[in-house]
Amino acid sequence: MITVVVKNTSTGAEVELPYNNLTINDELNKGSDLKLSLSREAVKQIADIYGYSVADILHAGEREIWVDKDGTKLFYGVITDYGASRSGEGINLDIAGAGFMYLLGRRRTGNLRVFTTTDAGLIAWTIIDESQSEDAYSDLGITLGRLDTSVSRDRTFRFDNIKEQIEKMSNSNLENGFDFEIDTNKQFNVYYPQKGTRRTEILFDDHNIVGWRVRFPLLSTLTNRVYVLGEGQGDDRLWVVRNSPDDYKQTFGLLENVLTESSIITTETLDDKGDKNLADNQSPRREVAIEVLDNPSVLDYQVGDEVRVKIPEEDINDEYLRLYKRTIQIDDNGAVRVALDVK
């Protein structure tokens, strides 16, 4: 059973909403978002029962929203956008929501904050915690969950976007980074070396795959030498060059790229930035997208996990592939369809 609930954060009042369809996106080290369509008339009927208006329920101040499946939250965040449109006799509402990482994208680190030889995950939690302690209006209710020991780094922040800076210290941006999330308990978690487990019991094959796509990016993204620019200007600028082994250059020749990270103040972190770029782009990396139904249940696996995939037409024969992005679509009957990006 699927339910959608909106909560007024000022009063604590909760209202369950009818919906026509909804889509949940969840991406590793990015966060989650929600799109929801519903009938204004259906919402108004609910609002009338409680003595509210549609505005009271959906967009009169901060509103938390979550999607529950069989007693477990699939999504938890806040409403970010509201829209209404008329089509024929009815008025349709479109609601957008985002997980709590979105709110950290609306926070800054302040004038100057310096960390020296400090665990990267601890840096991430510290800038979140300090932002939430700024004044009476700052507490987002995010608490600390799991905090694995990762790699020590030096970081200097000046009015920086907190969400972006956490992403920059993650595995999506650096070699030896960490994976992170704000989960549906509103806890910030850091995983090192990475999030997820190998799910031996989960297999996607022709029994549950309803569609698939396989792609090999070639010259559009390949890089085997990268220059990484750090803090400073002109001749005083910190920079490094990182090269792939010659084997990666023999087939496609020399392919170069330049990355700019002006907030990085150590060559070690610049090395990790360059090495991550090469690891992702020095050879064609197969991208696989599959569409499945709710079998196995979306409650049984999550981004970061390794799942078994079998697409014999593309020589994918019961391979373990890691799930980086999941898009869940649910219609008004509760039918679930899932798109998965795996590598």
Side-chain angles (χ1 to χ4, degrees), residues 82-116:
Y82 164 91
S85 60
R86 183 160 189 160
S87 177
E89 296 298 320
I91 297 176
N92 299 317
L93 304 181
D94 294 301
I95 303 298
F100 292 99
M101 281 305 301
Y102 167 85
L103 293 178
L104 294 178
R106 303 301 305 276
R107 295 291 183 89
R108 297 296 185 270
T109 56
N111 181 19
L112 180 63
R113 188 65 171 93
V114 179
F115 294 89
T116 303

Side-chain angles (χ1 to χ4, degrees), residues 15 63-64 75 92 105 114 117 126 135 137 145 156-157 165 174 186 203 229 248 257-258 306 316 319 322 331 333:
V15 177
R63 295 290 182 270
E64 292 187 347
F75 170 87
N92 299 317
V114 179
T117 318
T126 299
D135 56 34
Y137 310 105
T156 297
F157 302 117
Q165 292 305 316
L174 294 178
K186 217 172 179 179
L203 170 65
L229 313 182
Y248 291 101
N257 194 13
V258 175
E306 291 183 345
I316 302 173
E319 292 185 32
R322 192 169 185 225
D331 66 20
N333 293 316

